[in-house]
Amino acid sequence: MSRFLPLFAFGLIFVPNHAFAFEELQDCTTCPLMVKIEGGSFPRAGNINDSPVRVNVDYDYALSRCEVTVGEFAEFANATGLKSKGCQLFRTTGDIDYPEGGWNDPGFRQRDTRPVVCVSWNDANAYAEWLSERTGQAYRLPSESEWEFAARAGAGHESKWYVRGNLKTGEAKCATCFGSDVMGREDELTSANVGGKHRNPFGLADMLGNVSEWTLDCGDGDLADSPVDGSARLDDSCGKRITRGGTFHSDWAGLSRFRVSRDEGRGRNDLGFRVLRELAASGIDPALERYASSGFESACR
């Protein structure tokens, strides 16, 4: 049963450090906490020096407020018998293969409240399909355009977006986001608990930094080749998928521009995902009208 928790009876959740109101829903007590994203447009460009292309996302959707956590993914893995399949580990001296690794052993100490990593695109997609079957709702990975629209949260074609992602010191988990460079310190180069740094104006946490995230789009084309209507660029046979958002070892100035094509069948310990839930075409989804007085059981608080 879907659950929508308002802070007031009007059905809006107000966050003290933002002058914004967020509509949130959760389709089950262990499902990801979702935030409603109202449609709009944004200027897509890889850099401030590039000519932007207007992308129109003219529909509403819900996106998980945080990256899918280890605890949320574990429920899926246990229900389906998913086995770990190895992982590529980031190291300051160069990436290494870890055949014994997987979502439950990413090469560093993991917690249920951290983003799940060492999952392939195929695993992330399977989780979304399982969540759809479990809830009766349409879950999937976001397209690159849907992801960027949500990450920008109203940011335009401006240098402060491309350089700092409109973030202040300490508002993201990255190698230089706290004012000093932690590269080379392996004890500091791990993910952090979800939702603990900052929420953007759309109410989403960790869109930049912590771990990069899978999208639906095939990863063999340039940014200029992507659709401008919010849909994903798909081929009959992808092989690679676009990842966005930057990681715990990225430089601050590279987070908003992070766009890397990865093999869809291979996981990394700096790569996770979040899910999108399609909303009713009428714009009025029954889940957003339901009220519950108890708290979320999600780690994304």
Side-chain angles (χ1 to χ4, degrees):
M1 178 178 179
S2 297
R3 305 168 66 200
F4 170 45
L5 269 71
L7 196 62
F8 303 101
F10 297 104
L12 297 176
I13 292 181
F14 282 81
V15 180
N17 63 337
H18 288 298
F20 300 93
F22 311 127
E23 289 185 273
E24 298 181 342
L25 65 91
Q26 191 176 34
D27 282 316
C28 66
T29 57
T30 54
C31 293
L33 177 59
M34 311 296 291
V35 178
K36 181 181 178 181
I37 308 297
E38 295 186 357
S41 64
F42 68 94
R44 184 177 65 208
N47 202 305
I48 188 63
N49 298 319
D50 299 338
S51 297
V53 175
R54 180 61 55 177
V55 177
N56 297 304
V57 184
D58 60 357
Y59 51 88
D60 299 343
Y61 57 96
L63 195 64
S64 51
R65 176 174 148 187
C66 297
E67 295 139 336
V68 172
T69 66
V70 173
E72 289 163 347
F73 192 82
E75 187 174 17
F76 155 72
N78 293 334
T80 61
L82 180 73
K83 304 297 183 182
S84 295
K85 303 176 182 177
C87 184
Q88 189 171 44
L89 308 185
F90 169 81
R91 292 290 183 268
T92 55
T93 54
D95 296 346
I96 61 173
D97 288 326
Y98 183 33
E100 298 80 19
W103 69 268
N104 56 351
D105 181 10
F108 50 73
R109 183 177 295 179
Q110 191 61 293
R111 299 189 181 104
D112 284 350
T113 52
R114 288 184 175 180
V116 68
V117 293
C118 288
V119 290
S120 67
W121 183 93
N122 296 321
D123 291 338
N125 189 60
Y127 172 83
E129 291 179 345
W130 172 81
L131 200 59
S132 298
E133 293 175 0
R134 182 185 180 197
T135 64
Q137 303 295 337
Y139 282 88
R140 59 176 172 82
L141 298 177
S143 70
E144 183 178 10
S145 292
E146 291 165 338
W147 186 96
E148 184 171 345
F149 176 70
R152 283 178 173 269
H157 190 58
E158 53 202 34
S159 59
K160 64 180 181 179
W161 165 254
Y162 294 101
V163 175
R164 292 293 177 96
N166 288 345
L167 295 168
K168 298 177 182 178
T169 301
E171 288 186 340
K173 170 70 171 178
C174 79
T176 58
C177 286
F178 289 84
S180 61
D181 195 339
V182 298
M183 291 299 287
R185 293 174 53 189
E186 300 293 346
D187 60 321
E188 294 288 340
L189 293 173
T190 65
S191 64
N193 290 339
V194 301
K197 299 300 178 186
H198 171 69
R199 280 204 256 176
N200 75 9
F202 282 3
L204 302 167
D206 298 320
M207 291 297 291
L208 302 180
N210 210 10
V211 298
S212 58
E213 301 174 16
W214 290 111
T215 73
L216 277 178
D217 292 57
C218 294
D220 294 324
D222 295 331
L223 189 62
D225 299 328
S226 300
V228 296
D229 61 355
S231 62
R233 189 178 68 83
L234 300 174
D235 298 332
D236 291 337
S237 178
C238 270
K240 293 181 179 294
R241 303 281 175 165
I242 295 295
T243 63
R244 295 294 306 266
T247 73
F248 53 77
H249 58 80
S250 296
D251 183 77
W252 190 349
L255 295 180
S256 64
R257 290 173 282 141
F258 184 96
R259 184 177 189 266
V260 178
S261 176
R262 301 288 192 193
D263 183 342
E264 67 178 22
R266 192 177 198 186
R268 291 177 54 91
N269 74 342
D270 58 1
L271 173 57
F273 68 101
R274 70 182 71 215
V275 289
L276 179 148
R277 179 189 182 285
E278 297 177 357
L279 298 178
S282 64
I284 303 175
D285 192 286
L288 294 171
E289 297 180 337
R290 295 194 178 114
Y291 177 86
S293 58
S294 59
F296 289 121
E297 295 182 14
S298 169
C300 184
R301 301 185 187 277

